[in-house]
Amino acid sequence: MRIARFSVDDEPKYGVVETDDPEGLVGTVNVLDSDPLYRPVQFTGERLQLADVRLLAPVIPRSKVVGVGRNYAAHAQELGNDVPEQPLIFLKPNTSVIGPRDGIVYPEQTSDLHFEGELAIVIGRICRDLPRERANEVIFGYTVANDVTARDLQKTDGQWARAKGYDTFCPLGPWISTELDASDLRVSTELNGEPKQDGRTSQFIFDIPEMLAYITSFTTLLPGDVVLTGTPAGVGPMLPGDEVSVSVEGIGTLTNKVIVRD
């Protein structure tokens, strides 16, 4: 099932998407009566054309976005970093979240803004001290993410809060896929139509159960929280006017344009 959050006349709604278009530009959405994270799926009977709605970020995390850094060995190596011996965790504020086709704002404080295409986990149940074998019980579904990073600030600050935390630095979308085996999915990124990243989730250093067990060993995950699972090799800079598209097999494609703030 593909769960989308969308708006018509600026009113956010939820629905189940039916489409063969990875970006959801063509197809239909069956409207739900409420957020399915908190209530069972119930259709209203209203059916809309995707061309007539605006897709939003499929979830606004209640408390946090948790990132797992350097979770592909080739990505760690391309930046000259050691492969971590345990998951390397950072946080992005929920104010960094935007949706499909929203603009990624290029801050004036950076001159080296990078894309990082990723699979994202959407948490469906409150969890703490989660055993590996119960990881699937707390996953609501998966979506596509771009962990936008100011690479120069990441290097100079000594920690990653500013480099990864600006408003618009966490595009999510186009929807949440709730029935998916995420153990071996292709994750790819294009910049202005040119392939840049191409990896598979089977290349994770730490698999999804290990990530969730580690994160919940020190913090509680709440329904709607998002976990970014790491990016393949091939990250690189993007400039105002560039268009970046991240695709995850079995989910779809998330496209955003880089802009400067007026």
Side-chain angles (χ1 to χ4, degrees):
M1 187 178 295
R2 295 167 170 167
I3 304 291
R5 181 171 164 266
F6 65 94
S7 67
V8 179
D9 298 326
D10 294 327
E11 180 185 355
K13 297 183 178 181
Y14 295 86
V16 174
V17 171
E18 296 179 2
T19 183
D20 293 324
D21 179 0
E23 295 192 65
L25 301 177
V26 179
T28 60
V29 57
N30 297 310
V31 182
L32 300 175
D33 68 348
S34 62
D35 185 346
L37 263 170
Y38 304 106
R39 289 183 57 187
V41 168
Q42 184 68 44
F43 294 100
T44 66
E46 184 180 12
R47 190 181 182 95
L48 302 171
Q49 295 298 310
L50 282 171
D52 296 330
V53 309
R54 178 190 172 201
L55 289 177
L56 307 173
V59 60
I60 297 296
R62 178 186 289 185
S63 65
K64 56 193 170 294
V65 177
V66 183
V68 180
R70 302 172 189 166
N71 200 28
Y72 287 79
H75 170 58
Q77 292 162 2
E78 74 177 340
L79 296 181
N81 297 309
D82 294 333
V83 174
E85 295 182 0
Q86 59 186 12
L88 179 60
I89 304 301
F90 60 92
L91 300 177
K92 293 171 85 88
N94 56 12
T95 50
S96 66
V97 172
I98 58 172
R101 299 287 168 181
D102 289 340
I104 299 169
V105 176
Y106 200 115
E108 61 181 14
Q109 295 89 348
T110 182
S111 59
D112 194 17
L113 191 66
H114 281 212
F115 55 82
E116 294 191 6
E118 310 198 7
L119 171 73
I121 305 166
V122 180
I123 299 299
R125 292 175 55 185
I126 188 169
C127 50
R128 177 70 200 272
D129 294 321
L130 180 71
R132 282 181 52 98
E133 60 271 16
R134 299 189 62 184
N136 286 337
E137 298 177 21
V138 306
I139 297 173
F140 179 75
Y142 300 89
T143 191
V144 184
N146 186 350
D147 176 23
V148 178
T149 304
R151 194 69 69 200
D152 48 355
L153 303 184
Q154 186 182 29
K155 293 176 182 176
T156 60
D157 284 2
Q159 45 78 32
W160 300 358
R162 186 167 65 130
K164 291 178 174 287
Y166 278 90
D167 292 355
T168 76
F169 273 24
C170 190
L172 298 175
W175 43 66
I176 299 168
S177 292
T178 60
E179 300 169 8
L180 192 65
D181 178 357
S183 61
D184 186 26
L185 301 176
R186 185 186 183 196
V187 180
S188 59
T189 303
E190 293 184 353
L191 185 69
N192 300 323
E194 181 181 351
K196 294 293 184 180
Q197 294 185 277
D198 196 350
R200 304 197 68 86
T201 58
S202 56
Q203 298 169 329
F204 285 158
I205 298 169
F206 306 103
D207 63 16
I208 289 172
E210 189 166 4
M211 287 185 236
L212 296 184
Y214 185 83
I215 292 166
T216 61
S217 71
F218 67 88
T219 190
T220 299
L221 290 175
L222 302 178
D225 282 352
V226 172
V227 176
L228 308 182
T229 59
T231 194
V235 300
M238 49 188 181
L239 297 170
D242 286 345
E243 187 173 80
V244 58
S245 296
V246 181
S247 300
V248 176
E249 181 182 1
I251 304 177
T253 299
L254 169 67
T255 296
N256 299 89
K257 199 164 189 174
V258 183
I259 63 173
V260 292
R261 191 179 301 279
D262 296 334

Tab-separated table of all heavy atoms in Angstrom, residues 106-131:
chain	number	residue	atom	x	y	z
A	106	TYR	N	19.508	26.786	-0.750
A	106	TYR	CA	20.968	26.803	-0.648
A	106	TYR	C	21.362	27.920	0.323
A	106	TYR	O	21.261	29.094	-0.015
A	106	TYR	CB	21.573	27.073	-2.030
A	106	TYR	CG	23.019	26.667	-2.182
A	106	TYR	CD1	23.386	25.658	-3.049
A	106	TYR	CD2	24.029	27.315	-1.460
A	106	TYR	CE1	24.715	25.288	-3.208
A	106	TYR	CE2	25.362	26.947	-1.605
A	106	TYR	CZ	25.698	25.932	-2.490
A	106	TYR	OH	27.002	25.567	-2.631
A	107	PRO	N	21.838	27.575	1.539
A	107	PRO	CA	22.138	28.627	2.520
A	107	PRO	C	23.355	29.442	2.118
A	107	PRO	O	24.294	28.927	1.506
A	107	PRO	CB	22.421	27.840	3.809
A	107	PRO	CG	21.913	26.455	3.560
A	107	PRO	CD	22.035	26.232	2.091
A	108	GLU	N	23.379	30.692	2.505
A	108	GLU	CA	24.508	31.555	2.185
A	108	GLU	C	25.754	31.174	2.970
A	108	GLU	O	26.871	31.565	2.605
A	108	GLU	CB	24.153	33.015	2.459
A	108	GLU	CG	23.813	33.309	3.901
A	108	GLU	CD	23.437	34.758	4.123
A	108	GLU	OE1	23.191	35.475	3.146
A	108	GLU	OE2	23.386	35.166	5.300
A	109	GLN	N	25.601	30.380	4.045
A	109	GLN	CA	26.742	30.021	4.892
A	109	GLN	C	27.573	28.873	4.322
A	109	GLN	O	28.623	28.538	4.863
A	109	GLN	CB	26.261	29.625	6.291
A	109	GLN	CG	25.613	30.753	7.073
A	109	GLN	CD	24.114	30.839	6.827
A	109	GLN	OE1	23.585	30.209	5.904
A	109	GLN	NE2	23.414	31.611	7.648
A	110	THR	N	27.112	28.250	3.235
A	110	THR	CA	27.856	27.129	2.667
A	110	THR	C	28.219	27.403	1.217
A	110	THR	O	27.541	28.165	0.521
A	110	THR	CB	27.048	25.821	2.750
A	110	THR	OG1	27.834	24.739	2.222
A	110	THR	CG2	25.770	25.901	1.945
A	111	SER	N	29.272	26.746	0.769
A	111	SER	CA	29.633	26.777	-0.653
A	111	SER	C	29.844	25.370	-1.180
A	111	SER	O	30.461	25.186	-2.234
A	111	SER	CB	30.908	27.609	-0.857
A	111	SER	OG	31.995	27.069	-0.108
A	112	ASP	N	29.334	24.360	-0.436
A	112	ASP	CA	29.543	22.966	-0.840
A	112	ASP	C	28.360	22.127	-0.361
A	112	ASP	O	28.473	21.350	0.587
A	112	ASP	CB	30.858	22.439	-0.257
A	112	ASP	CG	31.314	21.133	-0.894
A	112	ASP	OD1	30.810	20.803	-1.989
A	112	ASP	OD2	32.166	20.447	-0.296
A	113	LEU	N	27.237	22.296	-1.030
A	113	LEU	CA	25.996	21.611	-0.647
A	113	LEU	C	25.871	20.308	-1.425
A	113	LEU	O	25.931	20.303	-2.656
A	113	LEU	CB	24.796	22.516	-0.936
A	113	LEU	CG	23.457	22.071	-0.351
A	113	LEU	CD1	23.490	22.133	1.167
A	113	LEU	CD2	22.329	22.931	-0.908
A	114	HIS	N	25.679	19.192	-0.693
A	114	HIS	CA	25.671	17.862	-1.309
A	114	HIS	C	24.308	17.186	-1.193
A	114	HIS	O	23.577	17.385	-0.221
A	114	HIS	CB	26.705	16.958	-0.637
A	114	HIS	CG	28.105	17.186	-1.084
A	114	HIS	ND1	29.045	16.184	-1.156
A	114	HIS	CD2	28.745	18.307	-1.500
A	114	HIS	CE1	30.201	16.671	-1.574
A	114	HIS	NE2	30.046	17.966	-1.787
A	115	PHE	N	24.019	16.341	-2.174
A	115	PHE	CA	22.885	15.409	-2.113
A	115	PHE	C	23.358	14.100	-1.503
A	115	PHE	O	24.524	13.712	-1.646
A	115	PHE	CB	22.316	15.163	-3.515
A	115	PHE	CG	23.346	14.683	-4.512
A	115	PHE	CD1	23.732	13.350	-4.581
A	115	PHE	CD2	23.946	15.585	-5.380
A	115	PHE	CE1	24.692	12.920	-5.492
A	115	PHE	CE2	24.909	15.172	-6.301
A	115	PHE	CZ	25.279	13.836	-6.358
A	116	GLU	N	22.436	13.408	-0.820
A	116	GLU	CA	22.690	12.063	-0.297
A	116	GLU	C	21.380	11.288	-0.369
A	116	GLU	O	20.521	11.408	0.506
A	116	GLU	CB	23.200	12.101	1.152
A	116	GLU	CG	24.567	12.732	1.324
A	116	GLU	CD	25.148	12.516	2.720
A	116	GLU	OE1	24.522	11.777	3.528
A	116	GLU	OE2	26.218	13.070	3.010
A	117	GLY	N	21.213	10.489	-1.404
A	117	GLY	CA	19.997	9.706	-1.570
A	117	GLY	C	19.950	8.520	-0.626
A	117	GLY	O	20.959	7.819	-0.459
A	118	GLU	N	18.771	8.278	-0.032
A	118	GLU	CA	18.671	7.238	0.997
A	118	GLU	C	17.276	6.601	1.047
A	118	GLU	O	16.283	7.212	0.666
A	118	GLU	CB	18.981	7.826	2.383
A	118	GLU	CG	20.261	8.620	2.436
A	118	GLU	CD	20.802	8.840	3.839
A	118	GLU	OE1	20.249	8.253	4.792
A	118	GLU	OE2	21.786	9.592	3.963
A	119	LEU	N	17.249	5.382	1.566
A	119	LEU	CA	16.017	4.762	2.034
A	119	LEU	C	15.717	5.282	3.431
A	119	LEU	O	16.615	5.402	4.266
A	119	LEU	CB	16.186	3.238	2.095
A	119	LEU	CG	15.052	2.460	2.760
A	119	LEU	CD1	13.825	2.413	1.864
A	119	LEU	CD2	15.510	1.037	3.130
A	120	ALA	N	14.446	5.619	3.688
A	120	ALA	CA	14.042	6.092	5.009
A	120	ALA	C	12.990	5.163	5.599
A	120	ALA	O	12.098	4.682	4.892
A	120	ALA	CB	13.490	7.509	4.922
A	121	ILE	N	13.122	4.926	6.899
A	121	ILE	CA	12.169	4.099	7.642
A	121	ILE	C	11.208	5.016	8.377
A	121	ILE	O	11.629	5.978	9.036
A	121	ILE	CB	12.891	3.215	8.672
A	121	ILE	CG1	13.967	2.360	8.013
A	121	ILE	CG2	11.903	2.352	9.444
A	121	ILE	CD1	14.941	1.724	9.004
A	122	VAL	N	9.912	4.732	8.288
A	122	VAL	CA	8.903	5.463	9.057
A	122	VAL	C	8.441	4.556	10.204
A	122	VAL	O	7.970	3.442	9.976
A	122	VAL	CB	7.704	5.864	8.185
A	122	VAL	CG1	6.662	6.621	9.014
A	122	VAL	CG2	8.170	6.722	7.011
A	123	ILE	N	8.616	5.041	11.424
A	123	ILE	CA	8.281	4.253	12.612
A	123	ILE	C	6.772	4.304	12.872
A	123	ILE	O	6.150	5.369	12.786
A	123	ILE	CB	9.052	4.792	13.842
A	123	ILE	CG1	10.561	4.679	13.601
A	123	ILE	CG2	8.642	4.045	15.113
A	123	ILE	CD1	11.072	3.273	13.380
A	124	GLY	N	6.197	3.158	13.194
A	124	GLY	CA	4.757	3.073	13.408
A	124	GLY	C	4.329	2.850	14.837
A	124	GLY	O	3.152	3.043	15.169
A	125	ARG	N	5.282	2.439	15.693
A	125	ARG	CA	4.921	2.157	17.096
A	125	ARG	C	6.011	2.686	18.006
A	125	ARG	O	7.193	2.678	17.653
A	125	ARG	CB	4.779	0.640	17.324
A	125	ARG	CG	3.604	-0.009	16.627
A	125	ARG	CD	3.618	-1.513	16.807
A	125	ARG	NE	3.658	-1.909	18.216
A	125	ARG	CZ	3.771	-3.164	18.633
A	125	ARG	NH1	3.881	-4.144	17.731
A	125	ARG	NH2	3.777	-3.445	19.908
A	126	ILE	N	5.615	3.140	19.181
A	126	ILE	CA	6.587	3.598	20.163
A	126	ILE	C	7.486	2.432	20.548
A	126	ILE	O	7.016	1.299	20.727
A	126	ILE	CB	5.870	4.189	21.394
A	126	ILE	CG1	6.873	4.860	22.334
A	126	ILE	CG2	5.024	3.165	22.110
A	126	ILE	CD1	6.202	5.678	23.424
A	127	CYS	N	8.793	2.696	20.618
A	127	CYS	CA	9.699	1.588	20.916
A	127	CYS	C	10.957	2.090	21.622
A	127	CYS	O	11.481	3.157	21.316
A	127	CYS	CB	10.087	0.819	19.649
A	127	CYS	SG	10.678	1.823	18.263
A	128	ARG	N	11.414	1.287	22.576
A	128	ARG	CA	12.659	1.532	23.301
A	128	ARG	C	13.265	0.173	23.627
A	128	ARG	O	12.548	-0.788	23.930
A	128	ARG	CB	12.376	2.315	24.593
A	128	ARG	CG	13.596	2.562	25.484
A	128	ARG	CD	14.581	3.559	24.876
A	128	ARG	NE	15.915	3.456	25.462
A	128	ARG	CZ	16.335	4.109	26.546
A	128	ARG	NH1	15.504	4.910	27.187
A	128	ARG	NH2	17.567	3.950	26.969
A	129	ASP	N	14.584	0.070	23.554
A	129	ASP	CA	15.287	-1.200	23.794
A	129	ASP	C	14.705	-2.318	22.929
A	129	ASP	O	14.371	-3.404	23.416
A	129	ASP	CB	15.235	-1.571	25.279
A	129	ASP	CG	16.003	-0.583	26.144
A	129	ASP	OD1	17.077	-0.139	25.707
A	129	ASP	OD2	15.514	-0.253	27.236
A	130	LEU	N	14.623	-2.045	21.637
A	130	LEU	CA	13.986	-2.959	20.698
A	130	LEU	C	14.908	-4.131	20.371
A	130	LEU	O	16.032	-3.923	19.902
A	130	LEU	CB	13.639	-2.199	19.417
A	130	LEU	CG	12.955	-2.985	18.309
A	130	LEU	CD1	11.525	-3.314	18.694
A	130	LEU	CD2	12.991	-2.180	16.999
A	131	PRO	N	14.476	-5.372	20.558
A	131	PRO	CA	15.286	-6.513	20.113
A	131	PRO	C	15.325	-6.578	18.588
A	131	PRO	O	14.340	-6.242	17.911
A	131	PRO	CB	14.541	-7.732	20.691
A	131	PRO	CG	13.593	-7.189	21.707
A	131	PRO	CD	13.251	-5.800	21.269
